[in-house]
Amino acid sequence: MNTWLLVTIIAVAAVAVVVKRLIGEPVNVRDLFGPPVVLAALGVWLLLEAEDLNGADVGWVVGGCLIGLGLGALRGGTVALSTRNGVLHQRYTGRTFLVIVVAFLASALYGLLARELGMHEDARPLNLSIGVGFLGEALVIGYRGLRAGAPFAPEKPGLLDRYGERIDRLTRR
């Protein structure tokens, strides 16, 4: 896939998540953990496909993942959690955006340092960085939600679920 297309898709998805969370949304497990796991898995897949990676590259990747996970967890601690309509809701706050800026700067500096010290270009997949950061956030929000005792929002029916229900209704007639 074209690198710029992949970067654009990831950026649009990340912005969509941030906008939804700025407005506030119910917290359900699939929406909380699904996107980070998919992004991180794609990043790992890209790493496995990369050629000529060495131990130093892997060390930089692991270090970057630990930094991203930690900053994501810090960001998760700044998200406002509340109960609305009997389910857990989340909303980004001003402090959340401050942590986002700090995380972006830290990631950019880490990436610049890695490049200057000769890290292989293919050892820095953007989707892995974003996925690990959102995973750190999701772990903290999930933990805080469980501690709060409010139930998570139910899963929304997906596209296939809706079509399956329509097909079932049509075949029962």
Side-chain angles (χ1 to χ4, degrees):
M1 179 180 279
N2 180 321
T3 303
W4 287 108
L5 178 61
L6 182 61
V7 168
T8 302
I9 290 170
I10 292 168
V12 167
V15 167
V17 168
V18 170
V19 168
K20 282 176 39 180
R21 292 182 182 173
L22 175 62
I23 296 168
E25 67 175 344
V27 180
N28 71 50
V29 175
R30 180 175 33 180
D31 288 347
L32 188 61
F33 288 100
V37 168
V38 169
L39 284 171
L42 285 172
V44 169
W45 176 67
L46 287 173
L47 282 174
L48 294 174
E49 293 291 314
E51 296 178 11
D52 300 328
L53 297 183
N54 59 38
D57 293 325
V58 172
W60 280 102
V61 169
V62 170
C65 286
L66 291 174
I67 291 169
L69 193 65
L71 289 169
L74 180 64
R75 186 174 65 237
T78 67
V79 174
L81 295 180
S82 62
T83 304
R84 271 192 248 155
N85 301 325
V87 297
L88 190 65
H89 273 67
Q90 66 180 338
R91 186 181 53 77
Y92 278 4
T93 65
R95 291 184 319 155
T96 308
F97 285 101
L98 178 63
V99 173
I100 288 172
V101 169
V102 168
F104 177 77
L105 292 173
S107 179
L109 289 173
Y110 186 79
L112 181 64
L113 180 62
R115 187 180 66 199
E116 291 299 315
L117 293 175
M119 183 178 176
H120 196 283
E121 188 70 30
D122 289 341
R124 295 182 285 142
L126 181 63
N127 47 350
L128 178 61
S129 300
I130 294 171
V132 167
F134 276 126
L135 184 59
E137 177 183 320
L139 289 169
V140 170
I141 291 172
Y143 175 75
R144 289 177 57 212
L146 289 172
R147 289 212 40 207
F152 286 79
E155 303 298 327
K156 297 172 267 186
L159 182 64
L160 295 176
D161 296 331
R162 288 191 296 258
Y163 283 119
E165 291 171 10
R166 289 181 185 154
I167 290 170
D168 285 346
R169 277 185 277 154
L170 288 172
T171 57
R172 279 188 250 156
R173 291 183 181 177

